[in-house]
Amino acid sequence: MGNEMRIVSKGSKDKYIFTDVCDEHPESIEMLHRLAGDDIDTTTTNLDITNLDAIRKMVKYNDVKMIVNCAAYTNVDAAESNEALAERLNADAPKNLAIAMKEVNGLLIHISTDYVFGGDPYNTPCKEDQKGTPTGVYGQTKLHGEQGIIAANCNYVILRTAWLYSEFGKNFVKTMLNLTATKPQLKVVFDQVGTPTYALDLANAISVIIEDYKEETANYNQWASYPKNGIYHYSNEGVCSWFDFTKMIAEIAGNINCDIKPCHSDEFPSAVKRPAFSVLDKTKTKKTFEADIPYWIDSLKYCLKHMM
Ligand SMILES: NC(=O)c1ccc[n+]([C@@H]2O[C@H](COP(=O)([O-])OP(=O)(O)OC[C@H]3O[C@@H](n4cnc5c(N)ncnc54)[C@H](OP(=O)(O)O)[C@@H]3O)[C@@H](O)[C@H]2O)c1
């Protein structure tokens, strides 16, 4: 997600500092140049967000007014046996960022997940104020992260998203692009329904929030709070199963020789039960930020065009 923030911030008058816990990823830098040109900012400053003092220093030294947190422990299955690390990164770290923003009355934009839901059976899109019912450690620790941010009482926008993919890193689209090109047959689950989210669309939505915050707070005194503090949902528009998603990836890519069949989730046993219906209701986001959200197939076509 951080790479998409680099792309959308290109040309902005604001100063952005991109941080990570380790050194740069050369393959991401290459992709950044391909997607956004030679003049894209690829510098990365080292920052471990589990270290509150390090965050405080960074905020003070650079007079940081806003943080967009794209970092997380995102391996859903591995989280089951790495609970302490998942909690540090998904719960303690966002709370650290929230504390640092509270101290300077800045804004924390934090990315959360549809995996905070899933324990209760339902078949209508999840709303922001619906009770969290995570089914595993990843969802539980991400829910703790949200609660820590709210308790820190800073200005915050928590954006829950789902089924994130992009040109960068490992993700479902890249995996299926490869599998449908190389395998004669493939089984994909049809009993888990949700909405894919193109990371660049989410980054554009974050830019809209940043501009809104700047505008809203321009007229306030330094310590006023942002009237739009809260939890919001963001995915692309529409609904599909993982099976439909894969069929569409193969169709757009022209991978016509792979026979793709639907199957049930229990054919792929995993450490965590995934939400069966993880569609996010985006009404509040669209109303509050006047966000124009692209349809999932349109965004998938755009992304695949760049990827291939
Ligand atoms: N992927 C999805 O389908 C999905 C769905 C819903 C919500 N989300 C949420 O969306 C956000 C972005 O997800 P993503 O898929 O882009 O994640 P990702 O690719 O796994 O990236 C996470 C980043 O966090 C960094 N990181 C790890 N430990 C850190 C630390 N101590 N300090 C600073 N940075 C650290 C990682 O650095 P290294 O790479 O150097 O380790 C990595 O760059 C997350 O909040 C995730 O929970 C994702």
Side-chain angles (χ1 to χ4, degrees), residues 1 20 22 48-49 70-71 74 89 111-112 138 142 161 164:
M1 246 325 283
D20 203 340
C22 71
D48 180 353
I49 58 167
C70 304
T74 53
L89 207 46
I111 304 174
S112 192
Y138 169 70
K142 291 291 287 185
T161 189
L164 211 53

Side-chain angles (χ1 to χ4, degrees), residues 1-4 19-25 46-51 69-76 85 88-90 93 110-115 138 142 159-166 168-172 197 199 202 234 242 280:
M1 246 325 283
N3 287 310
E4 284 73 20
T19 71
D20 203 340
V21 72
C22 71
D23 291 336
E24 291 147 4
H25 299 260
N46 196 281
L47 178 69
D48 180 353
I49 58 167
T50 63
N51 182 340
N69 180 30
C70 304
Y73 186 99
T74 53
N75 189 327
V76 175
L85 182 58
R88 270 188 80 198
L89 207 46
N90 292 345
H110 171 75
I111 304 174
S112 192
T113 172
D114 57 324
Y115 274 59
Y138 169 70
K142 291 291 287 185
L159 275 172
R160 293 190 188 128
T161 189
W163 297 22
L164 211 53
Y165 69 89
S166 78
F168 298 93
K170 263 171 67 177
N171 57 62
F172 185 83
T197 308
L202 177 59
Y234 188 95
W242 291 111
L280 298 172

Side-chain angles (χ1 to χ4, degrees), residues 138-279:
Y138 169 70
Q140 185 70 58
T141 56
K142 291 291 287 185
L143 188 60
H144 290 163
E146 296 182 359
Q147 291 160 348
I149 291 169
I150 295 166
N153 198 26
C154 65
N155 287 323
Y156 71 95
V157 170
I158 294 171
L159 275 172
R160 293 190 188 128
T161 189
W163 297 22
L164 211 53
Y165 69 89
S166 78
E167 292 88 346
F168 298 93
K170 263 171 67 177
N171 57 62
F172 185 83
V173 171
K174 281 187 167 179
T175 303
M176 288 305 168
L177 198 55
N178 177 36
L179 290 178
T180 57
T182 53
K183 297 243 178 210
Q185 277 193 332
L186 197 62
K187 282 195 204 171
V188 188
V189 300
F190 78 99
D191 56 1
Q192 288 172 34
V193 171
T195 315
T197 308
Y198 180 34
L200 191 62
D201 292 337
L202 177 59
N204 276 316
I206 291 173
S207 288
V208 169
I209 296 169
I210 291 172
E211 290 309 315
D212 183 83
Y213 175 78
K214 281 164 48 187
E215 215 175 290
E216 287 265 10
T217 52
N219 303 322
Y220 296 159
N221 72 60
Q222 195 201 338
W223 295 101
S225 63
Y226 182 41
K228 294 175 184 169
N229 283 339
I231 299 179
Y232 296 87
H233 287 171
Y234 188 95
S235 67
N236 280 124
E237 292 285 23
V239 176
C240 66
S241 71
W242 291 111
F243 165 72
D244 301 307
F245 194 10
T246 307
K247 289 282 284 183
M248 191 51 70
I249 293 165
E251 187 183 314
I252 297 168
N255 295 343
I256 50 168
N257 295 325
C258 182
D259 181 19
I260 307 162
K261 292 269 191 272
C263 72
H264 288 97
S265 300
D266 56 15
E267 288 193 44
F268 292 98
S270 81
V272 183
K273 190 177 171 299
R274 263 75 176 162
F277 190 86
S278 85
V279 180

